[in-house]
Amino acid sequence: MGVMEVVASYFHIFCPEGVNSKYRLIVFDDTKEAFIPLTEYYHDQVNRISESSVIAYLNTLEPFFYWLKHKSHYQAKKVQWDDDPEAVKEAVRQYLIDQMHCKIRGREGHEGIYLTSKSSKTVQLFLAAIKGFYKTMIRLKKYSHANPLLDMDFKDSVTEQPGERSNRPRMPQAAGTEEPLSFRKQTDSYFKVINEEWVPEIIGDWDLPYRIYQAGDTNGWRLLDEVITRFMFETGARISEILELTAGDYRKRSDLHELAATNKGSYKRRIKFIRISPETLKLLIKYVNSERRHSANVQVKFNDLPDSEPLFISSRGTPYSYSAFYSNWSKITKYAGIKLNPHKARHWSQCCVGFMNSRIQPPK
């Protein structure tokens, strides 16, 4: 996949402790002046979706706003973010073509995006982010036009779709009496990705975990699945070995970030250990003290769990099964646009850890 040509000269920082400010995070432009539109966007969105998702959106929007300021052009002038919808659409179109290496074809009421072999992997993320940005600006009364990233003919095109009953309007989706329309027909975006397909993934892809985490955050996954997924990518352990972990396995190790674990052919004996990051340990404790506690028969916190208690349980309080995890995993990987089973995630970890241990730097 191609690499974007512009360097993000817009950036964000969190407000240091002890500094009095109404903003927890501030976005700055390339002159190090506060850029309030993206700053306000962050604070509006962080109350609606997870902070990691908002940060991902900021990371893809910051290079766009830098490009907008220096490289955009419409009717012989630079485009401002608060210009009329046609100017903004033209700027986004140019950015998709010039910087994200997409091909665009006009269609009735919207424009179709065709991904190429050089297209950035963040096309979908950028489109979601920029559409959300204008929704926020309109909601905060900072943008006085219609959202330039919405298909204004969308509602009419949906209601014109014939229903199952002849000569009758289509029933609403909530009724459940008619087959739902395909995703592409339902999306209200002005720019629609047309040729989105499964793409074979290289198992050494360095941003693979981030893409899975981002898809999980966007889909509102449970802490249970997030923690297990982090265990897979960080430890290289088999999914069966992770699902069998108990509270006692954590206490058997003197290192705070290690757990005793079974191995293939060990007949349930703990003959090896696995290591997790401090961030994953915090998430594990948070999961046990909140989500797990609500489902468990024994209502205790992490430090009081009996040694024999499994760390991961279902909403019914039973040990979390592979089939239950795989069902949720499949939804997340499909949303991320990746074909990947849990076993291959284990090999990703082994590949990348070995690569780092060899002191070879990953490709830029």
Side-chain angles (χ1 to χ4, degrees):
M1 292 293 185
V3 178
M4 293 180 59
E5 295 172 3
V6 297
V7 176
S9 291
Y10 281 44
F11 61 96
H12 59 268
I13 60 173
F14 286 93
C15 187
E17 291 185 11
V19 175
N20 186 21
S21 173
K22 71 173 184 177
Y23 295 123
R24 180 170 176 268
L25 173 149
I26 300 176
V27 178
F28 294 90
D29 65 15
D30 55 319
T31 65
K32 298 185 180 179
E33 293 291 328
F35 188 67
I36 300 303
L38 278 181
T39 301
E40 294 280 6
Y41 166 76
Y42 165 84
H43 289 88
D44 175 74
Q45 288 294 307
V46 81
N47 294 320
R48 300 170 181 273
I49 60 178
S50 70
E51 183 170 63
S52 60
S53 296
V54 185
I55 295 298
Y57 287 152
L58 275 184
N59 286 336
T60 194
L61 286 176
E62 285 165 353
F64 168 73
F65 279 91
Y66 172 80
W67 177 91
L68 189 72
K69 178 179 178 180
H70 296 283
K71 301 290 185 67
S72 65
H73 56 88
Y74 179 70
Q75 296 182 347
K77 65 177 184 178
K78 293 286 190 296
V79 179
Q80 305 297 317
W81 74 266
D82 55 354
D83 278 346
D84 64 73
E86 285 306 313
V88 174
K89 282 180 188 175
E90 178 59 27
V92 172
R93 183 187 297 109
Q94 292 170 17
Y95 189 73
L96 288 166
I97 295 171
D98 297 342
Q99 303 302 316
M100 293 192 138
H101 306 289
C102 300
K103 293 186 180 299
I104 297 181
R105 299 289 183 271
R107 295 190 167 203
E108 186 176 354
H110 68 274
E111 296 195 52
I113 297 177
Y114 295 83
L115 304 181
T116 70
S117 60
K118 293 183 179 180
S119 292
S120 168
K121 292 179 181 178
T122 61
V123 171
Q124 289 280 32
L125 187 66
F126 167 70
L127 290 173
I130 192 66
K131 183 170 73 172
F133 169 78
Y134 280 99
K135 283 184 177 179
T136 291
M137 293 298 100
I138 291 170
R139 184 164 51 246
L140 298 179
K141 302 188 185 304
K142 296 182 180 296
Y143 186 71
S144 58
H145 308 284
N147 191 327
L149 279 303
L150 291 184
D151 178 0
M152 293 296 104
D153 298 327
F154 168 71
K155 291 183 179 178
D156 292 337
S157 66
V158 170
T159 55
E160 287 171 2
Q161 292 290 332
E164 300 291 338
R165 303 169 301 162
S166 60
N167 300 320
R168 296 290 184 91
R170 184 176 183 85
M171 293 291 288
Q173 183 176 342
T177 58
E178 297 183 320
E179 288 294 322
L181 297 173
S182 72
F183 173 78
R184 288 195 183 97
K185 290 179 181 175
Q186 286 185 340
T187 178
D188 62 352
S189 298
Y190 177 77
F191 292 100
K192 297 174 171 56
V193 176
I194 302 301
N195 67 327
E196 183 182 19
E197 298 174 351
W198 291 112
V199 178
E201 291 295 330
I202 300 172
I203 203 65
D205 198 341
W206 286 86
D207 68 349
L208 180 59
Y210 170 80
R211 294 171 64 189
I212 299 294
Y213 300 157
Q214 173 62 32
D217 283 340
T218 304
N219 278 269
W221 62 356
R222 295 183 297 168
L223 267 175
L224 169 63
D225 293 315
E226 182 179 1
V227 172
I228 292 173
T229 300
R230 284 179 170 273
F231 265 67
M232 285 197 304
F233 281 120
E234 291 182 8
T235 69
R238 296 175 177 84
I239 183 61
S240 59
E241 296 166 357
I242 295 170
L243 295 178
E244 291 172 359
L245 290 170
T246 66
D249 291 332
Y250 178 72
R251 299 188 182 115
K252 286 177 182 176
R253 303 293 303 179
S254 58
D255 191 301
L256 285 175
H257 303 104
E258 292 179 358
L259 299 91
T262 61
N263 201 0
K264 188 175 182 180
S266 69
Y267 302 101
K268 305 296 181 181
R269 290 179 294 119
R270 271 55 177 171
I271 62 174
K272 72 175 184 181
F273 70 89
I274 58 178
R275 185 174 179 83
I276 58 175
S277 67
E279 292 76 18
T280 297
L281 176 60
K282 290 178 184 177
L283 280 179
L284 172 64
I285 295 173
K286 180 180 178 181
Y287 156 70
V288 171
N289 290 345
S290 57
E291 194 173 281
R292 185 193 187 283
R293 193 179 177 197
H294 295 317
S295 303
N297 296 321
V298 181
Q299 302 286 314
V300 295
K301 290 191 174 183
F302 186 84
N303 291 334
D304 298 319
L305 271 182
D307 283 352
S308 59
E309 276 286 302
L311 287 176
F312 307 114
I313 62 174
S314 69
S315 57
R316 299 186 302 275
T318 57
Y320 199 43
S321 68
Y322 174 82
S323 60
F325 171 75
Y326 186 78
S327 176
N328 294 326
W329 168 265
S330 298
K331 294 174 185 175
I332 298 303
T333 53
K334 183 176 181 180
Y335 185 88
I338 300 170
K339 271 189 174 180
L340 184 74
N341 64 41
H343 187 68
K344 288 183 178 179
R346 170 178 182 256
H347 288 303
W348 178 93
S349 173
Q350 293 172 332
C351 169
C352 291
V353 170
F355 197 57
M356 287 187 290
N357 287 343
S358 68
R359 296 185 180 180
I360 300 175
Q361 292 299 314
K364 299 286 185 184

